[in-house]
Amino acid sequence: YLLTIGSFLGGIWANESWGTYWSWDPKETWSLVSILIYSFVAHMKHIPSLRSRITFNFASLLSFSSILMTYFGVNYFLGGMHSYGKGSSFEISYPILIIGALMIFTLFYASYRERKINE
């Protein structure tokens, strides 16, 4: 809810400052993507095939990853009005790759364990 309210208030502030609500800056676009992903996660319970715990946990990881991309990815890797690392090369460090691999492994292991328990 707070991300949506913050984007709405940011649009009002941008209209007062620059005369336009939305300029399709990478930060604004990723903020919209994060809002849409979190909205989907909040409404997954209404879709019968998506009611499992594993699906919800995977969607939660995806939504949190979108927030991380909105902050770190846009600020340091993409250009735009809201970025701080313009011109820096786009390199993904090994710790980020290791964390991503561990998240994927944990997801598959949890899915395997839940299937084994339910059998």
Side-chain angles (χ1 to χ4, degrees):
Y1 296 119
L2 294 178
L3 181 63
T4 305
I5 292 168
S7 293
F8 179 74
L9 293 175
I12 293 172
W13 178 83
N15 189 41
E16 292 295 322
S17 299
W18 299 311
T20 180
Y21 289 102
W22 196 266
S23 63
W24 292 103
D25 186 64
K27 178 70 94 172
E28 295 170 353
T29 305
W30 272 99
S31 176
L32 176 64
V33 168
S34 297
I35 290 169
L36 293 174
I37 289 174
Y38 267 102
S39 297
F40 178 74
V41 171
H43 293 91
M44 277 176 37
K45 63 184 174 187
H46 300 296
I47 302 171
S49 61
L50 297 178
R51 286 188 185 161
S52 73
R53 229 177 348 163
I54 293 296
T55 307
F56 179 75
N57 290 336
F58 175 70
S60 296
L61 280 175
L62 179 69
S63 58
F64 183 68
S65 298
S66 75
I67 294 294
L68 291 178
M69 175 60 192
T70 302
Y71 182 72
F72 291 112
V74 172
N75 284 348
Y76 298 113
F77 298 127
L78 298 177
M81 191 180 340
H82 297 94
S83 66
Y84 308 114
K86 289 183 181 177
S88 58
S89 62
F90 186 73
E91 294 181 17
I92 298 177
S93 63
Y94 286 113
I96 292 175
L97 291 174
I98 291 171
I99 290 170
L102 283 174
M103 285 173 49
I104 291 170
F105 173 75
T106 304
L107 174 70
F108 283 118
Y109 180 71
S111 177
Y112 168 75
R113 291 280 302 200
E114 184 162 325
R115 272 193 234 131
K116 190 174 180 181
I117 290 172
N118 289 335
E119 289 179 357

